[in-house]
Amino acid sequence: MAPPSKLAIATSSLLRLVKEESSYHKELQGQLARIENLDEGDENAEYIMKQERKGIEETKAMFPELRDRIKVAMERLDLQLEAADEVGTDTNPEEVTKAKEAMAQAKTSYKEMASDNQS
């Protein structure tokens, strides 16, 4: 089996980062929901609230770094797409299509992260 091409590696790297970003958003939503559903009558409520808030801050702290990593991965993939478009390269059209779809998905995710950071 042939090793994966640079285009395939760049594509999978970008998709992994987008998936990671989505995972952090889900984690943040879960943490916020746990705080909302916290029973004030619970004797450990104050401690649990403190721990959840700490977790929320740690999760939020991941977004700027992740956003930078997604941006770098998008730039790398864009360079690989440009190289694939050059005449004389025998790049699998399926890989190019997958890379373009990954780029579109990442751009959408990147825009959403940018709008989340502004609010």
Side-chain angles (χ1 to χ4, degrees), residues 34-95:
R34 285 193 299 272
I35 283 180
E36 287 179 19
N37 296 331
L38 190 61
D39 183 18
E40 293 296 327
D42 186 6
E43 59 191 47
N44 291 329
E46 187 176 324
Y47 174 76
I48 294 170
M49 180 77 73
K50 181 180 176 184
Q51 293 299 100
E52 289 296 335
R53 286 191 176 135
K54 182 179 177 184
I56 288 171
E57 292 308 312
E58 290 173 358
T59 301
K60 285 181 178 180
M62 291 302 298
F63 289 118
E65 177 187 343
L66 190 56
R67 184 176 179 195
D68 293 341
R69 290 171 49 203
I70 288 174
K71 184 177 180 180
V72 169
M74 286 171 60
E75 291 169 357
R76 277 194 203 127
L77 182 56
D78 198 34
L79 289 173
Q80 292 300 322
L81 280 169
E82 288 175 11
D85 286 342
E86 290 179 6
V87 180
T89 60
D90 61 351
T91 304
N92 183 344
E94 188 175 298
E95 284 183 3

Side-chain angles (χ1 to χ4, degrees), residues 1 4 9 13 16-17 21 23-25 32-33 36 40 44 55 80 85 89-90 92-93 95 98 100-101 106 114:
M1 183 172 177
I9 292 169
S13 175
R16 178 185 51 79
L17 288 170
E21 181 263 334
S23 173
Y24 278 115
H25 276 289
L32 292 171
E36 287 179 19
E40 293 296 327
N44 291 329
Q80 292 300 322
D85 286 342
T89 60
D90 61 351
N92 183 344
E95 284 183 3
K98 188 175 179 182
K100 288 180 180 179
E101 289 172 356

Side-chain angles (χ1 to χ4, degrees), residues 18 21 64 66-72 74 103-117:
V18 170
E21 181 263 334
L66 190 56
R67 184 176 179 195
D68 293 341
R69 290 171 49 203
I70 288 174
K71 184 177 180 180
V72 169
M74 286 171 60
M103 186 65 87
Q105 184 179 355
K107 285 180 181 177
T108 301
S109 175
Y110 194 78
K111 287 177 184 175
E112 288 174 0
M113 267 202 295
S115 66
D116 285 348
N117 286 342

Side-chain angles (χ1 to χ4, degrees), residues 1-24:
M1 183 172 177
S5 68
K6 289 182 178 183
L7 181 61
I9 292 169
T11 301
S12 63
S13 175
L14 181 60
L15 287 173
R16 178 185 51 79
L17 288 170
V18 170
K19 186 176 179 180
E20 184 178 342
E21 181 263 334
S22 174
S23 173
Y24 278 115

